[in-house]
Every structure is written in C-alpha cells, then in structure tokens.
C-alpha cells in the first residue's frame, strides 16, 4: 500500500487486514527494500491514513506492526491508540512478547478472515467503504 510519510513522500508499506469475532486488525510491515523503518518514524501519519482510507471503526480496530527476523521469526507490536472521533490524538507502541501475547495473537490470526483491500484503497483512489464487524468480516 502506498502511504504518505510525514514529509509527504510516498512510501510502500505492506498492509494486511484481518477480522474475527467483532474485531478488525490491521498489520503493517516495512517492505524489504526500505533502508530503515518507515513505520517507526511515521506511525501516526500511517495510522490516520489507514483508518481513513479503509473506513475503519476506531473502537473495533486494532493496529499492529509485524517484524520478521530470521533468527526469531515473526514478532508483533501493538499500537494503543487514543481517538477523538476519527482523529488520532495519541498512541503508544508496545512490543508483544512471543510467550503469551504474541502466541495469543498468532492463534487469533490463524482463525481470522482476510479482509480484501481494493487497488483503489492501496493508491488512495477509491471512495472509502466501511470495514466493520457488522459488515460480516
């Protein structure tokens, strides 16, 4: 997905949306060709864009960052976000440990359903469509 960083430069970020039991989860990963972590530097900007473009409901959506290390495998971090209506007010990023939180998340991922993202949404061309648990995802 192409997102604008805080300097208004287009950056490719891998995004996957999953849903299960009333919760929508958005996973972001830096692309391998990125020389440094654009997500860590631009998280607030990216989170707001994703919420707007994908018409995500803040109360039922959780945002995660996925990092893959060959020696350790997949690791996840969670963004704890404070929203005011559709505006991001603040966030805190917390790495999940792989023993309990990470394991529970990986179990959830296995059971969840992939929510399709349209080409227009990846390029900010589409009119927003609501992704919500009520929509059957």
């Amino acid at each position: 997905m192409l997102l604008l960083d805080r300097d208004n430069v287009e950056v490719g970020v891998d995004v996957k949306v999953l849903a299960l039991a009333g919760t929508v989860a958005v996973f972001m990963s830096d692309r391998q060709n990125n020389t440094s972590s654009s997500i860590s530097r631009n998280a607030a900007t990216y989170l707001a864009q994703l919420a707007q473009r994908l018409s995500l409901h803040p109360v039922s959506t959780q945002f995660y960052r996925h990092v893959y290390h060959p020696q350790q495998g997949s690791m996840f971090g969670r963004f704890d976000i404070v929203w005011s209506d559709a505006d991001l007010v603040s966030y805190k990023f917390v790495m999940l440990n792989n023993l309990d939180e990470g394991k529970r998340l990986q179990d959830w991922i296995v059971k969840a359903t992939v929510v399709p993202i349209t080409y227009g949404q990846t390029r900010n061309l589409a009119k927003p469509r609501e992704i919500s648990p009520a929509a059957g995802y």
Side-chain angles (χ1 to χ4, degrees), residues 2 9 43 61 69 86 95 106 114 128 132-133:
L2 294 177
V9 175
T61 303
H69 289 288
M95 282 303 292
Q106 288 178 351
V114 174
S132 69

Side-chain angles (χ1 to χ4, degrees), residues 14-35:
D14 292 328
V15 175
K16 187 169 193 172
V17 181
L18 301 174
L20 176 69
T23 300
V24 176
V26 178
F27 296 86
M28 295 185 287
S29 297
D30 283 303
R31 293 197 172 155
Q32 289 183 349
N33 60 350
N34 291 353
T35 56

Side-chain angles (χ1 to χ4, degrees), residues 93-104:
F93 180 76
V94 179
M95 282 303 292
L96 305 180
N97 69 54
N98 280 338
L99 298 177
D100 54 336
E101 295 171 310
K103 176 78 171 104
R104 279 195 303 272

